[in-house]
Amino acid sequence: MTAADPGPLIRLFGLTGGRARPVGETFDLVAIVTTVSTYVQPVEHLPEHLTVLSLCRSPTPVADVAAHLRLPLNITRVILGDLRREGLVTIDRPRPAAQTIDERIYREVLHGLRSL
Amino acid sequence: MGYAASEQATAGAVSALAIKILVAGGFGVGKTTMVGTISEIRPLHTEELLSERGVGVDDVSGVESKITTTVALDFGRITIREGLWLYLFGTPGQDRFWFMWDELSVGALGAVVLADTRRLQECFPAVDYFEQRGIPFVVAVNCFDGARRHEPDKVRRALGLGGATPIVLCDVRERESVKDVLTTLVTYAVKGVPTE
Protein backbone atom coordinates (compact mmCIF):
# COMPACT_ATOMS: atom_id res chain seq x y z
CA MET A 1 0.00 0.00 0.00
CA THR A 2 2.75 2.41 0.83
CA ALA A 3 4.98 3.44 -2.01
CA ALA A 4 7.36 0.58 -2.37
CA ASP A 5 10.06 1.15 -4.93
CA PRO A 6 8.34 0.04 -8.11
CA GLY A 7 5.01 1.63 -7.19
CA PRO A 8 5.50 5.08 -8.69
CA LEU A 9 6.98 3.63 -11.84
CA ILE A 10 4.11 1.27 -12.33
CA ARG A 11 1.69 4.13 -11.83
CA LEU A 12 3.51 6.25 -14.41
CA PHE A 13 3.64 3.30 -16.74
CA GLY A 14 -0.12 2.97 -16.42
CA LEU A 15 -0.69 6.60 -17.24
CA THR A 16 1.26 6.50 -20.43
CA GLY A 17 1.25 2.90 -21.49
CA GLY A 18 5.00 3.02 -21.18
CA ARG A 19 5.40 5.77 -23.73
CA ALA A 20 8.00 8.44 -23.22
CA ARG A 21 6.84 10.90 -25.84
CA PRO A 22 3.51 12.43 -26.70
CA VAL A 23 1.75 11.65 -29.96
CA GLY A 24 1.67 14.30 -32.64
CA GLU A 25 3.47 17.58 -32.93
CA THR A 26 5.80 18.47 -30.08
CA PHE A 27 4.87 21.32 -27.81
CA ASP A 28 6.63 23.67 -25.50
CA LEU A 29 6.78 23.81 -21.73
CA VAL A 30 4.71 26.98 -21.72
CA ALA A 31 2.44 26.11 -24.65
CA ILE A 32 -1.11 26.97 -23.70
CA VAL A 33 -3.51 24.08 -23.19
CA THR A 34 -7.18 24.80 -23.63
CA THR A 35 -10.05 22.40 -23.11
CA VAL A 36 -12.35 22.39 -26.11
CA SER A 37 -14.64 19.60 -25.06
CA THR A 38 -15.50 18.01 -21.76
CA TYR A 39 -17.91 15.64 -23.40
CA VAL A 40 -16.22 12.47 -22.23
CA GLN A 41 -17.24 9.27 -20.60
CA PRO A 42 -15.56 9.44 -17.19
CA VAL A 43 -15.17 5.70 -17.08
CA GLU A 44 -13.08 5.76 -20.21
CA HIS A 45 -10.64 8.27 -18.86
CA LEU A 46 -8.09 8.31 -16.11
CA PRO A 47 -8.64 10.74 -13.23
CA GLU A 48 -5.64 12.70 -14.50
CA HIS A 49 -7.35 13.23 -17.86
CA LEU A 50 -10.45 14.58 -16.18
CA THR A 51 -8.34 16.85 -13.97
CA VAL A 52 -6.65 18.31 -17.04
CA LEU A 53 -9.96 18.88 -18.79
CA SER A 54 -11.31 20.68 -15.76
CA LEU A 55 -8.16 22.73 -15.14
CA CYS A 56 -7.71 23.80 -18.76
CA ARG A 57 -11.16 25.29 -19.11
CA SER A 58 -9.13 28.39 -18.46
CA PRO A 59 -6.14 28.25 -20.78
CA THR A 60 -3.19 26.91 -18.81
CA PRO A 61 0.48 26.48 -19.71
CA VAL A 62 1.90 22.94 -19.84
CA ALA A 63 4.26 23.52 -16.90
CA ASP A 64 1.35 24.54 -14.69
CA VAL A 65 -0.55 21.45 -15.69
CA ALA A 66 2.43 19.29 -14.67
CA ALA A 67 2.75 21.06 -11.32
CA HIS A 68 -0.97 20.72 -10.74
CA LEU A 69 -0.96 17.00 -11.54
CA ARG A 70 2.27 16.56 -9.56
CA LEU A 71 3.59 14.51 -12.42
CA PRO A 72 6.86 14.72 -14.33
CA LEU A 73 6.79 16.88 -17.40
CA ASN A 74 7.17 14.18 -19.97
CA ILE A 75 4.42 12.08 -18.41
CA THR A 76 2.20 15.16 -18.45
CA ARG A 77 3.06 15.65 -22.09
CA VAL A 78 2.03 12.14 -23.01
CA ILE A 79 -1.30 12.70 -21.28
CA LEU A 80 -1.79 16.04 -23.06
CA GLY A 81 -0.86 14.51 -26.41
CA ASP A 82 -3.51 11.84 -25.91
CA LEU A 83 -6.18 14.38 -25.02
CA ARG A 84 -5.25 16.43 -28.07
CA ARG A 85 -5.51 13.40 -30.32
CA GLU A 86 -9.00 12.84 -28.99
CA GLY A 87 -9.88 16.42 -29.83
CA LEU A 88 -10.52 17.32 -26.20
CA VAL A 89 -7.82 19.98 -25.83
CA THR A 90 -5.87 22.27 -28.09
CA ILE A 91 -2.22 23.03 -27.48
CA ASP A 92 -0.92 26.14 -29.12
CA ARG A 93 2.17 26.03 -31.25
CA PRO A 94 5.23 27.48 -29.59
CA ARG A 95 6.44 30.67 -31.18
CA PRO A 96 9.68 32.49 -30.63
CA ALA A 97 9.14 35.19 -28.03
CA ALA A 98 10.44 37.87 -30.36
CA GLN A 99 7.55 37.22 -32.72
CA THR A 100 4.86 37.18 -30.08
CA ILE A 101 5.80 40.25 -28.13
CA ASP A 102 4.65 43.35 -29.87
CA GLU A 103 4.88 46.85 -28.50
CA ARG A 104 1.54 46.60 -26.73
CA ILE A 105 2.39 43.39 -24.89
CA TYR A 106 5.80 44.75 -24.06
CA ARG A 107 4.23 47.81 -22.43
CA GLU A 108 1.76 45.64 -20.58
CA VAL A 109 4.55 43.47 -19.22
CA LEU A 110 6.63 46.44 -18.11
CA HIS A 111 3.66 48.09 -16.51
CA GLY A 112 2.69 44.83 -14.81
CA LEU A 113 6.19 44.31 -13.44
CA ARG A 114 6.45 47.85 -12.13
CA SER A 115 3.14 47.69 -10.33
CA LEU A 116 3.92 44.42 -8.55
CA MET B 1 -7.10 18.41 -38.64
CA GLY B 2 -6.36 21.91 -37.49
CA TYR B 3 -9.99 22.74 -37.03
CA ALA B 4 -10.51 24.58 -33.77
CA ALA B 5 -7.40 26.71 -33.58
CA SER B 6 -7.96 29.05 -36.49
CA GLU B 7 -11.57 29.66 -35.55
CA GLN B 8 -10.57 30.62 -32.06
CA ALA B 9 -7.87 32.93 -33.28
CA THR B 10 -10.30 34.87 -35.40
CA ALA B 11 -12.99 34.93 -32.76
CA GLY B 12 -11.65 38.23 -31.53
CA ALA B 13 -10.48 36.93 -28.19
CA VAL B 14 -6.91 37.83 -27.34
CA SER B 15 -5.08 34.53 -27.21
CA ALA B 16 -3.32 33.54 -24.03
CA LEU B 17 0.43 34.00 -23.91
CA ALA B 18 3.04 32.73 -21.49
CA ILE B 19 6.44 34.36 -21.71
CA LYS B 20 9.45 32.38 -20.59
CA ILE B 21 12.38 33.91 -18.76
CA LEU B 22 15.27 31.76 -17.61
CA VAL B 23 17.28 32.27 -14.47
CA ALA B 24 20.74 30.75 -14.80
CA GLY B 25 23.93 30.78 -12.80
CA GLY B 26 26.12 28.60 -10.67
CA PHE B 27 24.93 26.30 -7.93
CA GLY B 28 23.78 28.13 -4.81
CA VAL B 29 23.97 31.60 -6.31
CA GLY B 30 20.36 32.40 -5.46
CA LYS B 31 18.30 31.33 -8.49
CA THR B 32 15.50 29.76 -6.50
CA THR B 33 15.50 32.67 -4.06
CA MET B 34 15.15 35.10 -6.93
CA VAL B 35 12.22 33.19 -8.42
CA GLY B 36 10.59 32.96 -5.00
CA THR B 37 11.02 36.65 -4.28
CA ILE B 38 9.06 37.79 -7.31
CA SER B 39 6.70 34.89 -7.98
CA GLU B 40 3.05 35.30 -7.01
CA ILE B 41 2.95 31.64 -6.12
CA ARG B 42 5.35 29.60 -4.11
CA PRO B 43 7.76 28.31 -6.74
CA LEU B 44 6.12 25.33 -8.36
CA HIS B 45 8.01 22.18 -8.70
CA THR B 46 7.94 19.60 -11.38
CA GLU B 47 10.31 16.99 -12.55
CA GLU B 48 11.57 15.67 -15.79
CA LEU B 49 12.20 11.96 -15.96
CA LEU B 50 15.40 11.19 -17.71
CA SER B 51 15.76 8.22 -19.95
CA GLU B 52 19.08 6.55 -20.20
CA ARG B 53 18.35 5.74 -23.79
CA GLY B 54 16.34 8.01 -26.00
CA VAL B 55 15.21 5.20 -28.25
CA GLY B 56 12.63 2.47 -28.15
CA VAL B 57 9.71 4.75 -27.46
CA ASP B 58 7.16 2.05 -28.03
CA ASP B 59 9.22 -0.68 -26.52
CA VAL B 60 7.41 -1.38 -23.30
CA SER B 61 9.93 -3.86 -22.00
CA GLY B 62 12.62 -2.64 -19.67
CA VAL B 63 10.92 0.62 -18.88
CA GLU B 64 12.21 0.62 -15.35
CA SER B 65 15.79 0.34 -16.40
CA LYS B 66 15.46 3.25 -18.80
CA ILE B 67 14.20 5.69 -16.24
CA THR B 68 17.29 6.52 -14.31
CA THR B 69 16.88 9.85 -12.64
CA THR B 70 14.80 12.98 -12.42
CA VAL B 71 15.69 16.63 -12.77
CA ALA B 72 13.80 19.00 -10.56
CA LEU B 73 12.50 22.03 -12.27
CA ASP B 74 11.32 24.97 -10.21
CA PHE B 75 9.45 27.82 -11.67
CA GLY B 76 7.51 30.87 -10.64
CA ARG B 77 4.75 32.86 -12.23
CA ILE B 78 3.80 36.49 -12.53
CA THR B 79 0.35 37.19 -13.88
CA ILE B 80 0.33 40.40 -15.87
CA ARG B 81 -3.33 40.03 -16.65
CA GLU B 82 -5.78 37.28 -17.47
CA GLY B 83 -4.11 35.35 -20.27
CA LEU B 84 -0.68 36.98 -20.04
CA TRP B 85 1.94 35.48 -17.77
CA LEU B 86 5.64 35.63 -17.16
CA TYR B 87 7.20 32.34 -16.19
CA LEU B 88 10.57 32.26 -14.51
CA PHE B 89 12.44 28.99 -14.80
CA GLY B 90 15.49 28.26 -12.72
CA THR B 91 17.80 26.27 -14.95
CA PRO B 92 19.23 23.05 -13.57
CA GLY B 93 22.69 23.80 -12.24
CA GLN B 94 24.55 20.65 -13.11
CA ASP B 95 26.36 20.44 -16.40
CA ARG B 96 24.93 17.08 -17.30
CA PHE B 97 21.51 18.67 -17.63
CA TRP B 98 22.46 20.95 -20.51
CA PHE B 99 19.90 19.29 -22.72
CA MET B 100 17.21 20.68 -20.43
CA TRP B 101 18.45 24.14 -21.22
CA ASP B 102 17.79 23.57 -24.89
CA GLU B 103 14.22 22.77 -24.13
CA LEU B 104 13.84 25.65 -21.71
CA SER B 105 15.41 28.22 -23.96
CA VAL B 106 13.29 27.61 -27.05
CA GLY B 107 11.12 30.66 -27.47
CA ALA B 108 12.38 32.26 -24.27
CA LEU B 109 12.24 36.02 -24.13
CA GLY B 110 15.60 36.13 -22.42
CA ALA B 111 17.65 35.11 -19.45
CA VAL B 112 19.04 36.42 -16.20
CA VAL B 113 22.53 35.17 -15.46
CA LEU B 114 22.99 35.43 -11.72
CA ALA B 115 26.55 36.03 -10.68
CA ASP B 116 28.34 35.84 -7.37
CA THR B 117 31.49 37.93 -7.58
CA ARG B 118 33.35 35.51 -5.35
CA ARG B 119 32.74 32.80 -7.93
CA LEU B 120 32.36 34.69 -11.16
CA GLN B 121 33.76 31.84 -13.23
CA GLU B 122 30.69 29.76 -12.42
CA CYS B 123 28.54 31.83 -14.70
CA PHE B 124 30.84 31.46 -17.72
CA PRO B 125 28.95 28.43 -19.05
CA ALA B 126 25.63 30.27 -18.90
CA VAL B 127 27.08 33.36 -20.58
CA ASP B 128 28.58 31.21 -23.33
CA TYR B 129 25.37 29.31 -23.79
CA PHE B 130 23.15 32.35 -24.25
CA GLU B 131 25.70 34.16 -26.40
CA GLN B 132 26.01 31.22 -28.76
CA ARG B 133 22.27 30.94 -29.20
CA GLY B 134 21.61 34.62 -29.49
CA ILE B 135 19.33 34.67 -26.45
CA PRO B 136 19.25 38.12 -24.85
CA PHE B 137 20.50 38.09 -21.28
CA VAL B 138 21.40 40.42 -18.48
CA VAL B 139 23.96 39.69 -15.80
CA ALA B 140 22.62 40.29 -12.32
CA VAL B 141 25.35 40.49 -9.70
CA ASN B 142 23.90 39.27 -6.44
CA CYS B 143 25.22 41.54 -3.70
CA PHE B 144 24.73 39.80 -0.41
CA ASP B 145 25.07 41.86 2.73
CA GLY B 146 28.70 42.42 3.39
CA ALA B 147 29.80 41.11 0.03
CA ARG B 148 32.07 43.53 -1.74
CA ARG B 149 30.29 45.58 -4.30
CA HIS B 150 31.91 45.20 -7.63
CA GLU B 151 32.04 47.76 -10.30
CA PRO B 152 29.89 46.58 -13.18
CA ASP B 153 32.76 47.40 -15.53
CA LYS B 154 35.04 44.99 -13.74
CA VAL B 155 32.44 42.27 -14.01
CA ARG B 156 32.00 43.09 -17.68
CA ARG B 157 35.70 42.73 -18.32
CA ALA B 158 36.01 39.57 -16.26
CA LEU B 159 33.18 37.94 -18.19
CA GLY B 160 34.32 39.29 -21.54
CA LEU B 161 30.95 40.83 -22.25
CA GLY B 162 30.23 43.27 -25.02
CA GLY B 163 29.16 46.79 -24.15
CA ALA B 164 25.48 46.21 -24.84
CA THR B 165 24.81 43.48 -22.29
CA PRO B 166 23.26 45.08 -19.20
CA ILE B 167 24.85 44.39 -15.85
CA VAL B 168 22.69 45.03 -12.80
CA LEU B 169 23.65 44.90 -9.16
CA CYS B 170 20.89 43.27 -7.16
CA ASP B 171 19.81 41.58 -4.00
CA VAL B 172 17.71 38.56 -4.93
CA ARG B 173 15.85 38.73 -1.61
CA GLU B 174 14.51 42.19 -2.37
CA ARG B 175 11.41 42.42 -4.49
CA GLU B 176 12.19 45.86 -5.86
CA SER B 177 15.63 44.72 -6.80
CA VAL B 178 14.35 41.66 -8.69
CA LYS B 179 11.73 43.81 -10.43
CA ASP B 180 14.54 46.06 -11.55
CA VAL B 181 16.46 43.11 -13.01
CA LEU B 182 13.42 41.85 -14.88
CA THR B 183 12.40 45.21 -16.31
CA THR B 184 15.97 45.69 -17.48
CA LEU B 185 15.88 42.30 -19.19
CA VAL B 186 12.49 42.82 -20.82
CA THR B 187 13.50 46.21 -22.14
CA TYR B 188 16.82 44.92 -23.43
CA ALA B 189 15.26 41.84 -25.03
CA VAL B 190 12.50 43.72 -26.77
CA LYS B 191 14.44 46.76 -27.86
CA GLY B 192 17.30 44.59 -29.05
CA VAL B 193 14.98 42.85 -31.50
CA PRO B 194 14.49 44.65 -34.78
CA THR B 195 10.89 45.79 -35.07
CA GLU B 196 9.08 45.41 -38.31
Side-chain angles (χ1 to χ4, degrees):
Chain A
M1 191 190 137
T2 50
D5 261 351
L9 283 175
I10 288 169
R11 176 79 184 120
L12 295 176
F13 178 88
L15 285 172
T16 66
R19 290 165 299 150
R21 289 187 175 74
V23 291
E25 193 185 5
T26 59
F27 48 89
D28 191 76
L29 205 57
V30 295
I32 307 290
V33 185
T34 309
T35 301
V36 290
S37 171
T38 50
Y39 186 70
V40 293
Q41 298 291 328
V43 289
E44 291 174 10
H45 284 83
L46 296 159
E48 283 78 3
H49 289 189
L50 302 176
T51 303
V52 172
L53 293 178
S54 166
L55 179 69
C56 297
R57 279 186 193 144
S58 6
T60 306
V62 172
D64 264 17
V65 176
H68 195 88
L69 292 176
R70 296 172 187 274
L71 286 174
L73 268 174
N74 41 5
I75 302 291
T76 302
R77 282 190 163 128
V78 171
I79 289 172
L80 291 174
D82 289 348
L83 291 172
R84 175 174 62 182
R85 186 185 51 190
E86 292 181 59
L88 299 175
V89 301
T90 58
I91 305 171
D92 75 355
R93 192 186 297 257
R95 293 153 297 180
Q99 290 171 21
T100 56
I101 299 186
D102 59 18
E103 188 71 17
R104 189 177 53 84
I105 289 176
Y106 163 67
R107 291 194 182 287
E108 273 190 274
V109 169
L110 273 195
H111 180 76
L113 278 174
R114 288 189 178 127
S115 51
L116 281 177
Chain B
M1 287 290 276
Y3 32 91
S6 57
E7 284 170 30
Q8 279 186 345
T10 54
V14 181
S15 59
L17 178 64
I19 297 168
K20 254 191 306 193
I21 289 176
L22 314 184
V23 180
F27 182 76
V29 73
K31 293 177 298 221
T32 308
T33 306
M34 181 180 225
V35 173
T37 297
I38 197 75
S39 176
E40 68 199 11
I41 46 171
R42 222 152 42 103
L44 291 170
H45 177 87
T46 184
E47 287 177 343
E48 183 78 315
L49 283 173
L50 300 186
S51 305
E52 197 168 27
R53 290 177 284 150
V55 295
V57 172
D58 293 314
D59 175 10
V60 295
S61 63
V63 166
E64 288 174 57
S65 67
K66 281 195 223 167
I67 298 169
T68 53
T69 183
T70 61
V71 193
L73 195 58
D74 291 314
F75 61 97
R77 183 179 66 208
I78 300 167
T79 300
I80 303 295
R81 62 162 159 78
E82 180 72 33
L84 179 60
W85 307 276
L86 283 185
Y87 278 86
L88 301 178
F89 286 92
T91 53
Q94 301 96 319
D95 289 347
R96 65 199 174 98
F97 298 138
W98 279 111
F99 71 93
M100 279 289 288
W101 288 49
D102 291 338
E103 147 112 60
L104 285 168
S105 61
V106 172
L109 174 70
V112 175
V113 176
L114 259 187
D116 178 340
T117 51
R118 293 164 298 184
R119 301 176 285 148
L120 260 190
Q121 72 282 0
E122 288 184 10
C123 61
F124 286 155
V127 167
D128 284 347
Y129 183 92
F130 297 127
E131 275 182 346
Q132 279 168 19
R133 284 162 183 78
I135 296 167
F137 66 95
V138 301
V139 174
V141 181
N142 193 12
C143 302
F144 297 100
D145 284 340
R148 253 187 71 211
R149 292 201 153 235
H150 276 60
E151 294 295 327
D153 281 346
K154 281 189 188 164
V155 173
R156 185 182 304 283
R157 251 177 283 134
L159 293 178
L161 296 173
T165 305
I167 297 179
V168 193
L169 302 178
C170 74
D171 181 334
V172 295
R173 299 162 303 180
E174 295 293 331
R175 205 171 160 80
E176 288 302 314
S177 185
V178 175
K179 275 164 65 172
D180 192 37
V181 172
L182 294 179
T183 51
T184 303
L185 172 64
V186 172
T187 304
Y188 176 63
V190 173
K191 297 300 178 189
V193 171
T195 47
E196 295 173 21

